[in-house]
Amino acid sequence: MNFGKSSWRTYEQGIQREWLLTNGIGGFSSSTIIGANTRRYHGLLVAALKPPVSRHLILSKIDECVTVDNESFNLFSYEVPGFVMAGHHHLERFEYDFIPKYIYRVKDVYIEKEICMVYGENTVAVVYRIINGPSRTNLRLTPLVNFRDYHFNSSRAYMNFDRKVEKDVLTIRPSFYDIDIKLYLSDGKFAELDDTWFYNMDYAVERERGLSSTEDHYIPGYYDVEIMPMEEKCITFVATVEKSINHRDGLAIIEKEKMRLKKLISKSGYKDELAKRLVLAADNFIVHRQSTNAKTIIAGYPWFTDWGRDTMIALTGLTLSTRRFDDAKEILYTFSKYVKDGLIPNMFPDAGHEPPYNTVDAALWYFEAVSKYVKYTHDYKFIKENIYDGLKEIIDCYSKGTHFNIKADEDYLITAGDEHTQLTWMDAKVGDWVVTPRHGKAVEINALWYNALKIMSQLSKHFKEDAEMYDKMAEKVKKSFVDSFWNEEKKCLYDCLTQSYKDDKIRPNQILAVSLSNPIIEGDKAKSIVDTVLKELYTAYGLRSLSPREKEYVGVYAGDQYKRDGAYHQGTVWTWPLGQFITAYLKVNNYSPEAKKMAMRFIEPFKDHLEDACLGSVSEIFDGNEPLIPRGCFAQAWSVAEILRAYVEDVMELI
């Protein structure tokens, strides 16, 4: 990906695109293509101190200033209240080929800057290449250091640092913390500054979200790098919170990371450019969790950690479609150890207490993930020895009843929760306000329940065990489902049922009744569901969470948390259900050539989106109203996963 000055004619235009690097343990590096930080989550080094959590901003940015012929030019950009520093005027190109690369020009001097993280470490390297003209030139690098939880903003009043310089390493220790921040520069002289701070950096995105948007950063000093006339010089800056600086050759760090990413593409076997880009995007979310000593899936960047539901939905696309079968096995095995009363954790806390199990669908998505794993790998032995008993427990507990009022009713359909709980993926709640009440019998939960029973039947038969119970239950669930959920008036499915009402709002959840490995609805009814969803909910980047025809519809996801949560599942576009929709669309149209062409039309918009918002990734959500502005997490696991899965499995039909 290549961008030029037409992409940052104004500061506001330049901050629309962002980039993300990750380190495989939950840490990351991120900013905009003009180098201005617009989020509290932006920074050259956001370290995961308890991988993949306890993330802390360590190095906000490096401000570069070039002096040529006694004239100085700032290359950095930022915003403070009432003022914008426009260093991006000197930015000639921005390239994103595995890693971000900035190319600046001042008079006849070119400065290239590449950024790369060390995989498996909380370490970032910034490599500068200066191509000088006939004048003597100075490059001044000023690091902006911090140490705070990435969800908060810092203030000078609450920050103090100790500083020590030894040879070529500057060690900075935040007061009252047993951690050292180490900075290293391969070539240059460091000048210490006392009690120096950058005040009131203003973050446009946080301001838009109704949150505190300004913060301060510590400036320990600056580095001066002299470049002689006609000299070409390459220097490496390293920042880390590891016990020692293990890597000092920036070019070697970059080469090693590029080789790792190229191997992932090669392992996937795809030649298609879109598929290859999505394989790289998938890598950002697969990380190591220290507390379980196993791989897990980060739900989204910059602010989510790992969640059970998101993991199970995303597992197929992220690990199986990319041929990362060992990672898939590790994740499935980890969750098998935490099955409790028929539920799997919604997340893994790191404070030593019990993980929360407050989700009705995560355990049911687990079956779909297992089924897909078997389809891709044929590794029944692993499932029988490690997973199968846990699946039996889930079915048994859902049948008899478990926590949060989750149980099979007299009609064999699953009911869950009450008016105070949010157990499905549409879980927004503000104080006591349940934004999308879906307690009772939710449509996708019962589609997943039927699918789970059918998968258990298939596994039991393979293992030569009695499957009759699962088959009989599945038949009863299917009959009750059709009788209860079919909305004859709207020719689609009710979204949720309680004893007192049937919710006929048109939402995307019903698509799972058609898209799962074992669809509970087929034939004309399935075709009608898909047609209704296409007409009422489809957009270029996903499915609206509520039809615009409904009075509760909110078309713009913006404002403070109250307004945003009020729109989250009330019209906001979600990408992940689009993958399921594409699968369902092709199913009901028998994978005809015409249907394949249409499915490709559903995929095409993401070629553009991968060069917008967070480069190379897919956003969590978009406004329900045109022009579908990307919102929420700028890189979301299940968004990437479901587009890749549907593209590979259904459009290209490679599985």
Side-chain angles (χ1 to χ4, degrees), residues 261-271 276 279:
L261 295 173
K262 288 175 182 178
K263 285 180 180 177
L264 293 178
I265 294 174
S266 177
K267 186 175 186 177
S268 75
Y270 302 131
K271 304 301 181 186
K276 289 194 292 185
V279 166

Side-chain angles (χ1 to χ4, degrees), residues 573-601:
V573 168
W574 290 76
T575 295
W576 83 261
L578 181 61
Q580 297 293 314
F581 171 78
I582 291 169
T583 300
Y585 181 88
L586 286 165
K587 277 185 179 181
V588 301
N589 288 286
N590 300 312
Y591 289 84
S592 68
E594 294 77 14
K596 295 285 287 294
K597 288 181 181 178
M598 181 61 78
M600 194 61 216
R601 290 190 182 102

Side-chain angles (χ1 to χ4, degrees), residues 44-75:
L44 289 176
L45 179 57
V46 179
L49 303 182
K50 293 181 180 178
V53 295
S54 188
R55 292 163 169 162
H56 280 64
L57 175 66
I58 304 299
L59 178 64
S60 173
K61 62 201 296 277
I62 302 171
D63 284 348
E64 303 93 357
C65 178
V66 176
T67 301
V68 184
D69 298 327
N70 295 317
E71 188 176 3
S72 295
F73 304 86
N74 292 329
L75 307 184

Side-chain angles (χ1 to χ4, degrees), residues 309 313 359-362 364-365 414 423-427 436 438-452 477 481 485 493-497 507-516 518 520 569 576-577 580:
R309 173 191 296 120
I313 294 175
T359 165
V360 63
D361 49 355
L364 299 177
W365 274 109
I414 294 296
L423 302 178
T424 74
W425 77 279
M426 289 187 166
D427 56 0
T436 50
R438 302 187 71 240
H439 61 281
K441 298 170 184 175
V443 64
E444 82 279 13
I445 301 306
N446 283 285
L448 285 160
W449 172 232
Y450 173 80
N451 185 57
V477 169
F481 185 93
F485 279 99
L493 299 177
Y494 290 107
D495 186 63
C496 196
L497 311 175
R507 295 187 184 275
N509 305 303
Q510 60 188 300
I511 206 67
L512 296 185
V514 184
S515 65
L516 293 171
N518 299 278
I520 195 170
H569 301 112
W576 83 261
Q580 297 293 314

